[in-house]
Amino acid sequence: MKRVGKPVFFIVLVIILTLAYTSVFGVYGENGDLKVTYIKGINDIRWGIDINGGVEAVFAPNGKDATEDEMESVKAILELRLVSQNITDYEIYPDYTNDRITIRFPAKTEDEAYDPNAAIDELSATASLRFMGGTPEQSTISNLIERANKIGSDKKEEKEDAEAALKELDEMTLVAGKDVKNAKAAYQPTDNGGPSEHVVLLELNSEGAKKFDEATAQYRGQQISIWMDDEMISAPTVNAHITDGSAVISGSFDATSAKKMADTINAGALPFSLKVESFSTISPSLGSSALAAMGYAAVVAMILIFLFMVIMYRLPGFIAFIGLMGQMSISLIAVSGYFPSFPSFTMTIPGIAGMILSIGMGVDANIITAERVKDELYSGKTLDGCIRNGTKGSFSAIFDGNITVIIVAIILILVFGPANILSSIFGVSTTGLIYAFGYTLLVGVIGNFIMGVGASRLMLKSISGYKCLRNKRLYGGKKSS
Amino acid sequence: MRQTFHIDFIKKSKIFFCVSLGIMLVCLILNLFALPTLVDIQFTGGTIIKYSYDGDIKQGDIKKTVNNTLKGIKALKNDKVDMSFSDNMPTKQDPNHKIVTLQFVGNKAVSVDDKAAIEEALQNTFPGLKFTYAGDVKKEDIEKTINKAIADSKTLKKDSASYSYQNSNKETKTITLKLKKNTPVTEDDRNAITSALQTAFPDNQFKDQSKSTFREASSSSVDASKGTNFFLKCLAAVILAAVLMIFYVALRFRKIGGLSAGVMAVVALIHDLIIVYFVFVIFRMPLNDNFIAVVLMILGYSLNDTIVIYDRIRENRRKSSPRTPIGDIVNNSLNQCMVRTICTSITTIIAIGSVLVVSLIFRIDSIVSFALPMMIGLISGSYSSLCIAAPLWVMWKNHQNKKKTVDKLDNGNENKPTVKQPISKKTAKKIAAKKESAAKKAAKKPAE
């Protein structure tokens, strides 16, 4: 057997300690006022909605079969809406076979209070902008929109009724959202010389400009009502004949709502109305205590396992624990991404449980090896021979055992993760939480192979080279002869 | 080889089988007659909403408010709601101590707007901060005092309150504050505002009559058809995993009769799955995606255990003479592996046990429903590998061997290919038994 050099133990130990420290605490620097992240630590891990709170919703078209193009445009519009609400940390999964879109985003904790219902409503609103002559009753418009939404219905009468309602709406509409080139929030006086207020400036495209031209001419001196879906947002009186294709929406806006309106118009109207098929909301408070709890559990588990291993297996047990630290570090690295250029994995509570479980199972490899070495020592061979035989003989058992965990982990990842391999038969599901469990299990097993098996054996072989540590008792044997 | 245990697993296998079957039978009876299976809305579809609240509110009043609200909503007019009450773990973000859980009967999926309507009704019926006072105080003065107290508070946001006034009777007047939705109001805040009012208006007997702040803790609504699809998908995942694993075991252990080894391993796995299922039933935990994750995990872990044992059997088989009865080889292997199996079980149980204990202390139900079945499943997994899979396999192998021995004996030459010849069963058994006992005696000697 190739003799493993004595310094190898310390080299491996230093590597593991470095990995452990950096993966937990991260490495940061300062560039003037900004904090620069060189290596990501635990604080940089992206937590799932069951820890941070948040919303998960599945949208489906309201009774209509959507084409792939339409689904794409819906996805794009939803993304624009999320970004304009300052939600950058979202996940969006369209399912083109079943016409579903799953959205997941965390609760905002800083500026606004957690209001999941409003967030879902804003995202799923159809947001059609319509300019209409006069001021029709809200109930009339609301009624028409409700009838028109049934356009995808299977019942013939409902479909025909929907088409009729749609036709009526189109006839009432002077200018629509699709005629708007750009919308911008502004703060300016509405009447010349009057006080400034928050308004939304619309820039119409050429066709829209023409329509608006005709509309303002026709309704000079009368009111034109501006509708967003079934809500009238403004009803100004037409004072002038506007030919340049610019329109102003004024009403009781403040800075925030004006910007929101402009963003909504810019993002565009959805090609059809959406319904929320299922949702799940978790408030931030529920998860934060869970995170602390799991932290305690991890620490307690590590301490107890350390004690157990050292008492049962002495020196190999101690080495096993170092290997375990290495395995944990690899898990953390795989979750946080380690370097700032790699995105962090979304970690959920089952994911953390998976990490803790893989600690318990990772130690198994070391236990099998140590037991083998004990067996060999009992038969009275030399220390080196025992270690050699022990490590060789136990490898097949460790390998086979770990493979089964890998199979389970891969299935969890494929079925419950973004790959969603069974979704063509069974539809997209909204459990992303179990996906994290599969991921941390897989990473744990790989980490176990590298650290629990590879690094541990290197350390064992190397440290047994030291004369002072060659007492067989340290490895579980009886008194050395 | 070093052997610390001398348990005859094979002989005692009947006891083990009886114990397992007995436990399962008891659980089955409980399941059928006393404890029906609960299934989470993730599979059945439905809606569950949890609100946290604080203060002295009668549970009956909450029920009345919710039921009245439902009657007023078109889509929910005919629906019923089951309400249960429990304790909350107060945190900085949610200082409330109580939780009410609404579950809609009949797997109904409730829309977001209707859910918002229920929340608004609850918040309006049991408004946040309420103070009573007597005498004449100017409204602006009261509001100024309260606004200053709110601005001074570290948790409440400035200018977030709106006020309404009532005269409950001639002497006492009530001022109610509505804070911007979902702002948590801690006990300290309430005390700070109360003392600010009492200091500013010492003659007016300001009293804190605050009732509650209802906030949505969590909600979940799943369409029924989606639920069924999800369940089928989980089932497919489990079957896929089981098939892949049998395949793998059969492949790796073909030298000791891979397929039969694989099948017996699966029998042990089914045993473990049934135990996990009964844990959910007995502890009244609804079957949800945690159940599926635990099932898959135990599949992997139990098989891991079983493989370590098969590996040892394979090695011992290689090392011993071909005449050694399989029962003895397996017994030896099991005893040799026991230390390792127990130690690994201990470390895994430490790991998952820490999670379980901590989540019980912090009252995090979702983790308890994950950790408890996992722990019991792990124990069952080790038990089934030692006491169920291996002994069953021995029985199968012996059954196969008996057939072979009969044929070989009949020929009188063990090396020729076997040819079946008619022989009475009784005679065949006698001959086979004699051969077995002779072989056992021969095997026992070198092992000692």
Side-chain angles (χ1 to χ4, degrees):
Chain A
M1 147 182 123
K2 201 173 67 180
R3 232 205 194 292
V4 177
K6 286 188 203 169
V8 171
F9 173 77
F10 292 104
I11 297 176
V12 176
L13 181 64
V14 165
I15 293 178
I16 289 182
L17 286 176
T18 319
L19 280 179
Y21 180 83
T22 52
S23 61
V24 169
F25 298 107
V27 174
Y28 304 104
E30 269 179 48
N31 188 355
D33 261 346
L34 296 164
K35 191 174 99 162
V36 173
T37 310
Y38 295 115
I39 291 181
K40 293 198 269 186
I42 287 190
N43 280 330
D44 299 306
I45 293 182
R46 178 200 200 198
W47 304 108
I49 64 169
D50 61 339
I51 294 177
N52 262 346
V55 175
E56 185 178 290
V58 178
F59 298 127
N62 221 341
K64 188 179 185 303
D65 250 336
T67 65
E68 189 165 322
D69 279 339
E70 287 177 325
M71 291 296 285
E72 272 299 324
S73 77
V74 169
K75 173 169 175 274
I77 294 175
L78 288 175
E79 282 179 322
L80 281 170
R81 289 182 183 177
L82 284 164
V83 168
S84 72
Q85 282 191 39
N86 254 330
I87 302 175
T88 44
D89 192 17
Y90 59 83
E91 293 167 66
I92 185 165
Y93 302 114
D95 177 5
Y96 299 108
T97 10
N98 295 314
D99 287 343
R100 298 277 180 281
I101 291 193
T102 308
I103 292 193
R104 206 174 289 146
F105 57 90
K108 285 192 288 183
T109 39
E110 294 105 19
D111 41 353
E112 275 172 42
Y114 168 70
D115 193 351
N117 305 328
I120 297 181
D121 274 338
E122 277 170 20
L123 276 178
S124 59
T126 319
S128 334
L129 183 70
R130 290 193 180 93
F131 283 55
M132 291 190 184
T135 47
E137 282 287 333
Q138 202 269 340
S139 50
T140 329
I141 304 294
S142 177
N143 227 323
L144 281 172
I145 291 184
E146 211 178 301
R147 283 164 54 198
N149 279 342
K150 299 206 179 113
I151 190 99
S153 166
D154 296 318
K155 300 188 201 150
K156 195 157 170 254
E157 320 89 56
E158 274 190 358
K159 194 167 167 136
E160 286 174 356
D161 180 60
E163 285 170 1
L166 212 55
K167 194 154 164 248
E168 212 179 308
L169 275 172
D170 281 336
E171 280 167 13
M172 289 170 72
T173 309
L174 304 163
V175 182
K178 61 184 192 317
D179 302 317
V180 175
K181 194 158 76 178
N182 185 30
K184 197 167 61 173
Y187 185 62
Q188 62 185 44
T190 38
D191 314 313
N192 284 334
S196 294
E197 45 180 281
H198 292 279
V199 296
V200 179
L201 296 175
L202 295 180
E203 195 188 318
L204 302 170
N205 59 20
S206 51
E207 195 176 311
K210 230 191 304 176
K211 287 190 197 164
F212 201 47
D213 186 338
E214 292 168 13
T216 46
Q218 183 185 356
Y219 285 89
R220 187 86 179 256
Q222 297 167 30
Q223 281 180 301
I224 286 187
S225 50
I226 307 179
W227 296 79
M228 179 63 86
D229 287 332
D230 59 352
E231 200 181 310
M232 193 195 303
I233 53 179
S234 181
T237 325
V238 183
N239 291 327
H241 180 194
I242 300 177
T243 50
D244 63 353
S246 69
V248 176
I249 307 181
S250 65
S252 43
F253 287 116
D254 62 16
T256 346
S257 54
K259 182 168 187 310
K260 235 185 210 173
M261 179 64 63
D263 286 335
T264 313
I265 298 177
N266 277 332
L270 296 171
F272 39 71
S273 71
L274 285 180
K275 68 167 189 241
V276 182
E277 195 180 61
S278 59
F279 60 83
S280 174
T281 64
I282 302 176
S283 76
S285 54
L286 212 61
S288 58
S289 57
L291 189 59
M294 299 306 271
Y296 295 139
V299 169
V300 167
M302 290 287 266
I303 293 178
L304 288 176
I305 290 182
F306 173 71
L307 289 172
F308 178 77
M309 286 303 282
V310 169
I311 293 176
M312 282 291 293
Y313 294 105
R314 302 180 199 133
L315 189 58
F318 178 71
I319 293 180
F321 185 73
I322 301 179
L324 207 59
M325 274 206 293
Q327 181 186 327
M328 273 295 272
S329 314
I330 293 189
S331 291
L332 285 174
I333 290 174
V335 167
S336 75
Y338 206 53
F339 297 110
S341 45
F342 294 117
S344 162
F345 180 77
T346 312
M347 190 60 147
T348 62
I349 299 279
I352 300 181
M355 260 171 77
I356 299 182
L357 193 60
S358 61
I359 297 178
M361 293 180 57
V363 170
D364 186 30
N366 298 94
I367 291 180
I368 296 180
T369 312
E371 281 290 320
R372 275 291 183 151
V373 171
K374 257 190 180 176
D375 281 349
E376 297 285 331
L377 283 171
Y378 194 75
S379 56
K381 301 203 184 83
T382 66
L383 181 63
D384 289 332
C386 292
I387 293 181
R388 188 188 342 138
N389 287 348
T391 52
K392 202 157 60 162
S394 52
F395 187 72
S396 67
I398 298 174
F399 182 77
D400 284 329
N402 276 351
I403 290 285
T404 57
V405 179
I406 290 183
I407 293 179
V408 168
I410 292 184
I411 290 186
L412 283 174
I413 290 178
L414 289 179
V415 172
F416 295 101
N420 260 314
I421 51 171
L422 295 176
S423 62
S424 47
I425 321 171
F426 300 115
V428 174
S429 63
T430 56
T431 287
L433 308 182
I434 303 295
Y435 167 56
F437 180 61
Y439 183 80
T440 47
L441 266 186
L442 184 65
V443 163
V445 170
I446 295 178
N448 184 232
F449 271 125
I450 300 176
M451 290 291 175
V453 178
S456 295
R457 287 171 180 209
L458 273 179
M459 285 195 285
L460 189 62
K461 288 183 183 162
S462 128
I463 203 174
S464 58
Y466 286 92
K467 275 232 176 92
C468 56
L469 294 167
R470 286 187 73 82
N471 186 344
K472 280 189 181 180
R473 283 204 66 196
L474 282 174
Y475 300 83
K478 298 280 162 89
K479 280 196 197 145
S480 63
S481 40
Chain B
M1 280 217 159
R2 172 179 140 258
Q3 206 163 302
T4 45
F5 291 97
H6 296 275
I7 305 178
D8 192 338
F9 284 94
I10 308 302
K11 237 200 211 160
K12 300 205 172 126
S13 59
K14 294 259 165 68
I15 303 179
F16 297 136
F17 295 158
C18 286
V19 166
S20 288
L21 285 174
I23 294 180
M24 287 198 242
L25 200 62
V26 169
C27 290
L28 185 64
I29 294 177
L30 281 174
N31 187 204
L32 289 176
F33 299 112
L35 303 167
T37 317
L38 298 168
V39 187
D40 189 73
I41 60 170
Q42 279 177 330
F43 293 137
T44 57
T47 309
I48 293 187
I49 312 177
K50 271 199 181 133
Y51 295 107
S52 72
Y53 66 100
D54 225 348
D56 254 324
I57 308 185
K58 290 213 193 88
Q59 294 179 355
D61 291 337
I62 300 182
K63 284 191 183 164
K64 229 189 332 181
T65 314
V66 171
N67 285 330
N68 285 341
T69 320
L70 288 183
K71 288 199 196 124
I73 300 178
K74 196 165 71 168
L76 303 175
K77 248 193 328 206
N78 301 318
D79 285 289
K80 284 221 176 84
V81 174
D82 279 333
M83 278 178 262
S84 56
F85 297 86
S86 54
D87 286 324
N88 189 28
M89 182 96 182
T91 61
K92 192 172 74 162
Q93 288 138 321
D94 185 359
N96 290 335
H97 287 87
K98 305 191 192 137
I99 290 215
V100 55
T101 309
L102 277 67
Q103 177 150 8
F104 281 75
V105 172
N107 305 331
K108 173 104 185 195
V110 173
S111 79
V112 174
D113 294 326
D114 294 339
K115 170 173 78 104
I118 299 177
E119 186 177 344
E120 209 175 310
L122 283 168
Q123 284 177 333
N124 285 338
T125 321
F126 307 102
L129 292 167
K130 211 184 216 179
F131 299 96
T132 53
Y133 64 100
D136 265 321
V137 194
K138 276 213 195 122
K139 289 188 184 163
E140 303 90 54
D141 292 335
I142 303 181
E143 290 179 14
K144 211 167 59 174
T145 319
I146 297 184
N147 279 335
K148 182 163 185 310
I150 291 180
D152 286 338
S153 144
K154 287 187 210 131
T155 44
L156 297 175
K157 274 202 292 222
K158 208 164 73 146
D159 299 333
S160 59
S162 56
Y163 302 91
S164 62
Y165 296 84
Q166 288 147 294
N167 285 359
S168 28
N169 51 48
K170 266 210 185 140
E171 282 93 30
T172 340
K173 297 179 199 142
T174 318
I175 169 172
T176 313
L177 285 80
K178 251 175 67 177
L179 293 172
K180 247 194 191 154
K181 250 199 225 174
N182 291 320
T183 319
V185 181
T186 63
E187 183 122 359
D188 291 332
D189 292 330
R190 286 216 318 266
N191 291 338
I193 299 180
T194 319
S195 55
L197 284 168
Q198 287 170 341
T199 329
F201 311 104
D203 301 319
N204 295 93
Q205 302 150 21
F206 268 90
K207 264 196 251 179
D208 180 2
Q209 298 284 0
S210 305
K211 279 216 151 180
S212 81
T213 32
F214 267 88
R215 335 174 48 228
E216 183 184 290
S218 70
S219 73
S220 187
S221 171
V222 179
D223 191 50
S225 64
K226 234 174 131 356
T228 323
N229 275 343
F230 184 53
F231 177 69
L232 290 174
K233 181 158 144 178
C234 289
L235 213 58
V238 172
I239 295 177
L240 184 64
V243 164
L244 281 175
M245 285 193 269
I246 301 179
F247 199 64
Y248 183 74
V249 171
L251 199 67
R252 285 290 279 180
F253 293 99
R254 55 186 179 276
K255 292 206 184 109
I256 56 171
L259 196 58
S260 59
V263 170
M264 292 313 158
V266 169
V267 170
L269 289 179
I270 296 179
H271 164 274
D272 297 329
L273 296 189
I274 297 180
I275 299 280
V276 170
Y277 166 74
F278 281 130
V279 170
F280 271 86
V281 166
I282 298 208
F283 288 93
R284 318 289 288 131
M285 296 189 280
L287 300 176
N288 56 5
D289 54 353
N290 281 346
F291 173 64
I292 302 295
V294 171
V295 159
L296 285 169
M297 185 65 236
I298 301 299
L299 233 55
Y301 178 80
S302 178
L303 203 63
N304 188 341
D305 250 1
T306 314
I307 282 179
V308 169
I309 294 173
Y310 279 161
D311 178 79
R312 187 57 76 104
I313 295 178
R314 174 172 60 185
E315 184 184 326
N316 283 345
R317 175 64 156 304
R318 208 174 8 104
K319 287 186 183 168
S320 53
S321 81
R323 283 214 214 167
T324 325
I326 192 77
D328 288 354
I329 299 181
V330 170
N331 246 340
N332 287 340
S333 312
L334 287 175
N335 280 298
Q336 286 160 10
C337 287
M338 254 198 91
V339 179
R340 174 259 157 199
T341 309
I342 293 180
C343 285
T344 306
S345 303
I346 291 182
T347 53
T348 328
I349 289 173
I350 289 178
I352 203 76
S354 320
V355 173
L356 178 64
V357 166
V358 162
S359 59
L360 280 172
I361 297 177
F362 281 71
R363 277 186 243 128
I364 308 168
D365 289 323
S366 58
I367 305 183
V368 173
S369 90
F370 182 75
L372 179 62
M374 182 78 80
M375 191 154 116
I376 297 186
L378 290 172
I379 299 176
S380 163
S382 303
Y383 166 80
S384 71
S385 307
L386 287 172
C387 307
I388 308 238
L392 262 182
W393 187 62
V394 169
M395 281 171 62
W396 172 264
K397 273 288 186 202
N398 280 337
H399 178 75
Q400 272 191 332
N401 277 345
K402 274 192 189 148
K403 271 194 181 168
K404 272 195 190 159
T405 322
V406 168
D407 302 333
K408 280 183 186 168
L409 258 185
D410 203 50
N411 249 351
N413 192 339
E414 285 178 344
N415 290 326
K416 274 203 190 148
T418 57
V419 175
K420 278 201 179 153
Q421 272 186 19
I423 185 170
S424 82
K425 269 195 186 168
K426 243 192 182 174
T427 335
K429 270 196 187 164
K430 266 196 200 162
I431 299 173
K434 266 196 187 161
K435 258 228 144 193
E436 249 195 66
S437 53
K440 260 194 189 166
K441 278 193 187 154
K444 260 196 183 161
K445 278 189 192 146
E448 269 163 7

